[in-house]
Amino acid sequence: MQDRIAEADAARDSTLLRAATWMIGAILSFSAMAIAGREASLSLDTFEIMMYRSLVGVVVVAAMITALRRWPQVSTERLKHHGLRNMAHFTGQNLWFYAVSAIPLAQVFALEFTSPIWVILLAPLLLGERLTRMRMLAVSLGFVGILIVARPSPATFNIGLACAAGSAVFFALTNIATKRLTRTESIWSIMFWLTLMQLVLGILFAGYDLDVAFPDAQSLPFLLIIGCAGLSAHFCITNALSLAPAAVVVPVDFARLPFIALLGWLIYGESVEIWLFVGAALIFTGNFINIVSSRQQ
């Protein structure tokens, strides 16, 4: 009996270690995308970055679908839903890329972590989910955290903060739309229409002024990193969630904040105040309360 318990514990520990390893991959991918996005923004605007990122994504996703023979799983039945989801994601991603070029990277990531808080508020309207007392507590803690991180005032508030906070709202809308699509659509169908539709949107918005900048030798490597890192981040998170509960995965994901703060300090000389971590801790607590309360329902 004890041997069986020991084997079960070892198997569980091995699974959790694999999940944590996948999350480390996600942390590295998101961080690489943020730094590459800032570097690419020196010569390209956010619409151009999104256009080239989506082009890389289309090529990679199409190649993977072909190699794995998953084209029968790519459906055309819910293109309207895919379109709404991808317009939300396109907007959020553009705001995010602008934010990483305008404010400290740690501040961007801290505000991005509020996306689950917005899901709690929007889900009752869009998915018919209940807004419980515990979820209201999670929302309250999250918004106090936002105020501490952003500290909005005429002296400290800027367009970069607004874009970072706005990106979290549109990412929340994206997650809600994704939840609906996953009821009937495969991950390959979602990923294919994600990259293709956002490529079309990128071309339209990047070319609205008939002045599209082409990547040069300096920006091209960063665009390739952005395209590949964006796909690998979501792939890593999906695998981590398939191995371990969200209550295990989310705390590991929050390691992104001190990691990107360290990179911002080393690469760009960005200083980080203790209040950013205080606010982020409240945001994390709100997210964690929501996860635990959802499991108990």
Side-chain angles (χ1 to χ4, degrees), residues 39-50:
E39 295 298 323
S41 69
L42 298 176
S43 56
L44 302 169
D45 63 36
T46 57
F47 292 133
E48 291 162 346
I49 292 174
M50 279 297 295

Side-chain angles (χ1 to χ4, degrees), residues 142-155:
F143 277 109
V144 172
I146 293 173
L147 293 176
I148 293 175
V149 171
R151 282 175 294 164
S153 72

Side-chain angles (χ1 to χ4, degrees), residues 72-87 177-186 189-194 197:
Q73 296 183 15
V74 178
S75 171
T76 58
E77 293 182 1
R78 291 173 174 79
L79 291 182
K80 178 181 177 180
H81 294 88
H82 283 287
L84 293 172
R85 173 190 183 272
N86 290 316
M87 282 191 288
T178 302
K179 187 173 181 178
R180 277 188 166 183
L181 281 171
T182 53
R183 296 170 182 171
T184 55
E185 298 285 289
S186 71
S189 184
I190 292 172
M191 291 299 293
F192 176 74
W193 293 116
L194 163 73
M197 287 184 174

